[in-house]
Amino acid sequence: MPPRTVVIGVDSSTQSTKAAVTDTETGELLAVGRAPHVVTGEGGARETDPEVWWLALCDAVAAGLKESGLSPSSVVGIAVAGQQHGLVTLDRAGRPLRPALLWNDTRSAPQAAALVAELGGPEAWTARTGTVPVASMTATKWRWLRENDPVNAEATASVRLPHDFLTERLAGVAATDPGDASGTCWYSTATGAYDPDLLERLGLSVSMLPEVAATGGTRIGSLTESAAEALGLPAGIAVAAGTGDNMSAAVGLGLGGAGLLDHPVLSLGTSGTVFAASRTRPASTALSGFAGADGTYLPLACTLNCTLAVDKVAALLGLHRDDATPGGEAVLLPYLDGERTPDLPTSSGLLTGLRHDTTPQQLLGAAYEGAAFTVLRALDELLLACGLDPADPEVAGRPLRLIGGGAQGRTWVETVRRLSGRPLIVPGSGELVALGAAALAASAAGGGDPVAVAARWNEKSEDAELPSAGRDTETWERIGSVLDKASEPLLGG
């Protein structure tokens, strides 16, 4: 029997790094190493020193290998999937000039509005990049940096996304992929390349940016001697281009050209996202029209306030996160960090419908409902972007795949099931971002199409399937009415 070979899929998220040691042949998750990150900032600021990500990657890989009990010589490839949109600025020596601005840093909201106006409105951006700039996008953060930290902006020799920064540390090659690049708002999904006119408007040049590989599974180089020493891995193993976390989750689910197309996914994490892999290029100003990691498209809607916001409400009420009941007449929009969908970057939480008999458990349930409603409302727009009719019974009956940390929570699952009115599938593989990165690593090591690799691995996955319970239209309409009628002063938009 030939010796076992493994790949390492890295999930570098907002709060932590996970390194999944995965059997190359079967996809068996042998071990997961973990290391935390530190996020700083008050108000709208959210920053992390990129060196924290690198140290966490080294620690997570070491922990994963130790837990697996395998020799480092069994590792044949590595890939990184990272949080999208973050702005990393490097000096000429490749060192970070300042902490990275994270995706959920909302200080660049004025710059986002200015950029939209400069190009002629939302439709012009959708036509060019597939995505309308909001405070989350990298282009707005770069504009903010030039206006508010001009010394560091002027000293910047290279601009990277979080996963780009880590991949370059691994292979010594400046590379990215179409998926993560499509979240910058300076990459055109219409042409599949950086947009020279947008770069000029932003004061960037192609020489400052990484080369865009064909896919996230493309081998862009080999692990360098210095990186191998830091990680305790063999030098020369395959390094994939990697991708953004949402694109990697899609790969991990087997969504893409070699797998499932136009099947919706809801991810419940720090942010809430709904997305699908499609061959149809999305053209909706209400969505982020991203590219996928495998050459498809990944239309996506993202909210800023999901599991962390609901956990904050639980803490304020002194309740466990599952001590919740349906909200009754109460409506709570937990927009504690501003909001991206809808585009309300300066919003705050809004509570209405409070009665004498409202219980703390109902208030917590209302927070779940408000967070779930906000991301689920974009589902019909997502289906339209895939060229589907949401009213078609076949489309309406397609199950919603539920992933992310919230998918492991009883109250989250039941709230989504009640408000979506769809059957749910909770995949048996819990670490889908890391699993997707592992499939990219396997592809780079010679394993073929990454989506096909993940789909083969998933054949043995034990998914939980929950039938539709019918939509709770009363709650749905009540929350929708509040959101539609709430004035900008109330929501702080």
Side-chain angles (χ1 to χ4, degrees):
M1 178 179 293
R4 167 178 268 177
T5 61
V6 298
V7 288
I8 296 179
V10 177
D11 172 8
S12 181
S13 69
T14 314
Q15 304 291 334
S16 66
T17 293
K18 301 173 186 176
V21 181
T22 308
D23 187 285
T24 309
E25 180 60 31
T26 67
E28 181 184 355
L29 191 60
L30 303 174
V32 180
R34 294 175 170 82
H37 298 169
V38 176
V39 178
T40 61
E42 298 179 352
R46 295 292 185 275
E47 298 182 344
T48 295
D49 180 354
E51 296 292 352
V52 168
W53 300 330
W54 174 246
L55 293 174
L57 190 156
C58 293
D59 290 345
V61 167
L65 271 178
K66 182 178 180 180
E67 181 184 336
S68 73
L70 295 172
S71 167
S73 63
S74 63
V75 180
V76 297
I78 187 169
V80 177
Q83 53 179 304
Q84 288 187 253
H85 311 310
L87 175 67
V88 181
T89 53
L90 306 177
D91 64 16
R92 295 190 181 280
R95 294 185 299 262
L97 285 162
R98 67 180 313 283
L101 276 68
L102 305 187
W103 64 274
N104 54 350
D105 188 310
T106 59
R107 288 175 291 178
S108 60
Q111 288 74 23
L115 284 170
V116 172
E118 286 173 20
L119 201 64
E123 291 77 11
W125 281 94
T126 299
R128 295 273 283 275
T129 71
T131 301
V132 181
V134 293
S136 300
M137 303 300 169
T138 323
T140 72
K141 299 179 190 303
W142 173 247
R143 174 68 67 88
W144 181 91
L145 191 73
R146 294 187 74 196
E147 294 176 3
N148 292 275
D149 189 0
V151 173
N152 278 322
E154 183 65 27
T156 298
S158 303
V159 170
R160 301 288 184 263
L161 296 167
H163 114 263
D164 304 342
F165 170 76
L166 294 171
T167 301
E168 190 168 4
R169 281 287 177 92
L170 294 173
V173 175
T176 190
D177 86 301
D180 215 5
S182 68
T184 60
C185 279
W186 58 61
Y187 174 92
S188 172
T189 56
T191 65
Y194 294 126
D195 187 308
D197 175 59
L198 294 180
L199 291 180
E200 184 177 356
R201 288 174 181 271
L202 292 164
L204 286 169
S205 65
V206 172
S207 64
M208 299 172 69
L209 303 175
E211 184 176 345
V212 183
T215 73
T218 300
R219 180 171 183 161
I220 53 89
S222 302
L223 194 66
T224 66
E225 293 283 354
S226 59
E229 183 177 356
L231 293 168
L233 295 177
I237 65 172
V239 178
T243 192
D245 51 4
N246 290 299
M247 295 79 191
S248 188
V251 172
L253 285 165
L255 272 60
L260 290 170
L261 290 168
D262 305 320
H263 280 247
V265 178
L266 175 59
S267 176
L268 298 168
T270 303
S271 61
T273 59
V274 59
F275 61 86
S278 180
R279 291 202 182 278
T280 303
R281 181 177 181 267
S284 168
T285 59
L287 299 171
S288 295
F290 295 143
D294 71 329
T296 58
Y297 295 100
L298 198 78
L300 177 149
C302 177
T303 65
L304 292 182
N305 300 275
C306 196
T307 58
L308 287 184
V310 172
D311 284 351
K312 178 63 175 179
V313 173
L316 290 172
L317 295 170
L319 297 174
H320 183 272
R321 59 169 62 102
D322 280 326
D323 291 338
T325 60
E329 293 184 55
V331 172
L332 203 169
L333 301 176
Y335 300 168
L336 308 186
D337 287 321
E339 192 43 79
R340 170 172 164 178
T341 305
D343 185 19
L344 297 166
T346 62
S347 64
S348 55
L350 176 65
L351 171 64
T352 186
L354 199 62
R355 300 290 187 184
H356 278 291
D357 59 355
T358 303
T359 67
Q361 290 76 16
Q362 286 177 314
L363 288 182
L364 180 55
Y368 276 99
E369 292 168 352
F373 172 91
T374 303
V375 66
L376 282 170
R377 201 183 206 200
L379 182 56
D380 284 355
E381 191 72 30
L382 172 75
L383 295 170
L384 288 169
C386 293
L388 303 174
D389 178 4
D392 183 321
E394 189 277 328
V395 174
R398 290 187 184 182
L400 184 61
R401 285 167 169 78
L402 198 61
I403 66 172
Q408 309 306 311
R410 172 179 54 82
T411 304
W412 274 115
V413 171
E414 286 306 311
T415 302
V416 170
R417 183 168 175 245
R418 180 162 53 90
L419 291 184
S420 72
R422 288 175 174 269
L424 301 183
I425 295 177
V426 182
S429 301
E431 302 292 348
L432 285 166
V433 174
L435 182 67
L440 297 175
S443 177
D449 184 282
V451 172
V453 169
R456 173 169 54 83
W457 289 351
N458 288 339
E459 289 176 358
K460 298 180 180 180
S461 177
E462 296 182 1
D463 301 340
E465 299 186 19
L466 301 173
S468 169
R471 172 172 281 179
D472 180 352
T473 55
E474 181 180 349
T475 299
W476 181 268
E477 291 172 359
R478 182 173 61 252
I479 300 172
S481 177
V482 169
L483 181 55
D484 290 340
K485 294 177 181 178
S487 63
E488 288 191 354
L490 279 175
L491 284 172

